[in-house]
Amino acid sequence: MNGHDFKWRVHLMDALYVAGVAAYLAVGFWVHLRADLAFPFPWNDEAWTLFPAKNVALYGRIWAPELNAEKVIFCYPVHDAFLGVMTLVFGQGLLWARHLSGVWMALAFILLTIVFCRDSLRFPLLIIAGWFFVSAPMIVAGNMVRPEALMMALASGALRAMDRNRPWFAMGLGAAGVALHPSGLVVMGFMGLAALIDAIRRRVWPRGCDWAALGLGALAVGYLLYIAAAHWADLREWYLATASEQMTQTADAVLASKWTRQFLLPALILAALSLAFAPRARIAALLAVGFALMPAIRTQMWYDSYRVFAIVLMLAASARLLDALANRCCRCGCNMRGGSACWNLLFVALAAFPMLRAYRSQWLEGPRGYPRDMTWGWGMRMSDGTPYYLESDRAAVEAALRERLGETAQRLTVLPEADMILMWRGLGAHQFYMPVRAKVSPDAIILRQSRYKPDWVREVHEQKAARYVPLGELHRRDETEVWTLWVRPDLLRAPDDK
């Protein structure tokens, strides 16, 4: 093959690779739009985040009286503050915040494919990573106001920075990840330590855009320390409450879990092999350990996206380890080179087990019924085209409330709680209220039923409303979208008072 033909083939392969990336992004964007507000349906974590964000935007404070009138309720203060700044740009609302998570997810995928683009096994990696990124856990993470999508974007950026020998840039992104979410210390800790050791060993000093990344990390960590110092008692209460939750596993449970045996332990072995034989694989392997460790410690359903990301990083590190072994074979006189058909087949064989396990666990989708039949979270499903929320719903509920409760302002909870963010224009004079570790109960509850609400969530919401007195239906749309009013018994007027 002459030089001209070789260059033409290289350009063709690059064009095919870029086309593959664009195709996956297009599919992800299409499914994100189809998911709408149904997959997942509005969740209490989103209100827990966006109420503080609103207060940051309007009053410059993280304290949100909508959650607790007496103390700061911690969730993700750095993420909340960032969304507060974005609220100044986009205004209040849930949709733009969800779309922003979709942007972070797309950015994570783009950065990973840039990392893969010069690897000998880039096409198998692209196919596998893209397949995972358009599956349910990643679609949900990219359509949910939580920090997981941004965390994965930061990790992908750090991996790219280390590929370009910019350890200080990677450390800056790692520091931002640590401040973003309590899991950041776990998922970014190994990578940050490796980046620091690399910078010291090679005597590399920050330059150019490294300072911007370090500044971002310092700003995030500084804000977190400031908030922690200013509200230490509230932070301590949050930590103790979180640590005592059943989803936080003991050390024995972590070691005995199937996830540890099938993924965390292999990730640790892969990291050890990478450190010994494949320097280019070590950061992906260390990040894989961090992302695999978090869902082993805490079994929250939102961390399924961390499981998926850990598998993708493990396969990326495995591909680089195989490439390093191929190069060693070449030096020993064996006619085996990275990127050959043999190595591609070997990589696919290695990838078969984690992908099969992911498919059986519904972390990876099959083509049948995609995306229409995609489910997640014990009953959440894709939108069937019926809108979850219309502005006319808010107007109808507001008018009905005025008839039932008059003009007297009440503390009002809507279930699901994030529906209050959708109704950001308010319901008359009533104050939205989502009590978290608060002594004061809501005066009234609007119980929202929907075709998109799973049965197990429906039961939880009905149990919360059962302590109140039903006053009937406020609004109904499309047969399954129903709003009913429930009032605290002591607020009902006796017949003689009418």
Side-chain angles (χ1 to χ4, degrees), residues 267-498:
L268 289 167
I269 295 172
L270 179 60
L273 292 173
S274 299
L275 290 170
F277 301 111
R280 288 188 68 242
R282 70 183 189 278
I283 297 300
L286 290 172
L287 281 171
V289 170
F291 277 95
L293 185 59
M294 195 57 216
I297 296 172
R298 192 166 168 83
T299 58
Q300 203 171 40
M301 65 182 184
W302 305 107
Y303 291 171
D304 277 0
S305 60
Y306 283 173
R307 298 179 194 271
V308 167
F309 201 64
I311 294 171
V312 172
L313 291 170
M314 285 175 63
L315 293 176
S318 299
R320 291 189 166 188
L321 180 60
L322 278 177
D323 195 54
L325 294 175
N327 291 333
R328 284 174 176 260
C329 288
C330 287
R331 287 197 296 271
C332 293
C334 181
N335 188 24
M336 297 287 287
R337 58 183 179 83
S340 67
C342 180
W343 287 106
N344 275 272
L345 288 174
L346 179 58
F347 176 70
V348 171
L350 287 173
F353 170 76
M355 294 184 69
L356 181 61
R357 175 75 174 88
Y359 178 78
R360 289 175 174 173
S361 301
Q362 295 186 319
W363 306 328
L364 193 64
E365 303 300 324
R368 182 179 298 176
Y370 181 85
R372 181 189 64 250
D373 298 335
M374 194 156 56
T375 61
W376 185 84
W378 305 288
M380 295 188 201
R381 58 190 177 87
M382 294 290 289
S383 171
D384 61 10
T386 303
Y388 177 84
Y389 173 78
L390 298 170
E391 180 58 22
S392 58
D393 295 330
R394 187 202 62 79
V397 170
E398 181 180 11
L401 273 179
R402 190 174 294 110
E403 292 182 7
R404 301 290 179 89
L405 299 181
E407 299 296 335
T408 303
Q410 308 288 355
R411 292 187 183 89
L412 184 64
T413 288
V414 182
L415 300 173
E417 291 89 344
D419 273 31
M420 293 183 281
I421 306 299
L422 286 171
M423 297 179 172
W424 63 269
R425 290 182 176 86
L427 294 173
H430 302 297
Q431 176 192 353
F432 284 140
Y433 183 52
M434 175 190 168
V436 180
R437 296 194 294 276
K439 298 176 182 177
V440 179
S441 300
D443 300 319
I445 291 175
I446 294 177
L447 179 61
R448 162 77 187 275
Q449 301 293 11
S450 172
R451 68 182 68 196
Y452 300 118
K453 184 187 288 189
D455 290 340
W456 67 275
V457 179
R458 189 189 312 274
E459 292 174 4
V460 171
H461 288 173
E462 288 175 351
Q463 288 172 6
K464 290 182 178 181
R467 292 170 291 180
Y468 290 69
V469 177
L471 290 189
E473 187 176 298
L474 294 173
H475 174 52
R476 177 182 292 265
R477 172 175 56 79
D478 295 317
E479 297 304 321
T480 58
E481 312 306 298
V482 183
W483 290 257
T484 55
L485 178 63
W486 301 66
V487 178
R488 214 170 65 205
D490 58 292
L491 291 181
L492 294 175
R493 292 178 297 178
D496 295 340
D497 297 333
K498 291 184 178 179

Side-chain angles (χ1 to χ4, degrees), residues 38-58:
F39 195 69
F41 78 96
W43 199 256
N44 59 353
D45 287 14
E46 297 180 290
W48 200 332
T49 288
L50 290 172
F51 275 135
K54 166 195 165 185
N55 281 273
V56 168
L58 296 181

Side-chain angles (χ1 to χ4, degrees), residues 70-223:
E70 299 176 342
K71 55 194 171 189
V72 171
I73 296 299
F74 279 85
C75 194
Y76 318 110
V78 171
H79 191 231
D80 300 348
F82 170 71
L83 289 175
V85 174
M86 300 303 292
T87 299
L88 292 173
V89 178
F90 295 110
Q92 296 180 48
L94 180 63
L95 278 175
W96 68 260
R98 285 194 164 198
H99 291 329
L100 188 60
S101 292
V103 170
W104 300 135
M105 188 59 66
L107 180 61
F109 177 64
I110 291 170
L111 288 169
L112 275 187
T113 57
I114 292 173
V115 169
F116 301 157
C117 71
R118 295 304 171 204
D119 287 359
S120 60
L121 294 168
R122 60 175 173 165
F123 280 101
L125 282 173
L126 170 62
I127 293 169
I128 292 169
W131 191 357
F132 274 112
F133 268 81
V134 297
S135 295
M138 295 305 219
I139 294 296
V140 166
N143 195 38
M144 174 70 176
V145 187
R146 281 180 56 94
E148 281 77 24
L150 180 52
M151 184 70 73
M152 286 183 271
L154 290 171
S156 300
L159 180 56
R160 171 61 176 163
M162 290 300 291
D163 255 22
R164 291 178 59 85
N165 296 316
R166 306 297 291 263
W168 293 101
F169 195 99
M171 278 189 280
L173 296 183
V178 169
L180 180 69
H181 187 287
S183 69
L185 186 61
V186 176
V187 301
M188 297 288 232
F190 299 108
M191 181 279 301
L193 181 60
L196 179 60
I197 292 172
D198 182 68
I200 294 172
R201 180 179 58 84
R202 296 192 296 115
R203 298 182 180 180
V204 175
W205 302 107
R207 65 185 191 278
C209 58
D210 293 344
W211 292 107
L214 288 170
L216 174 67
L219 179 64
V221 172
Y223 180 78

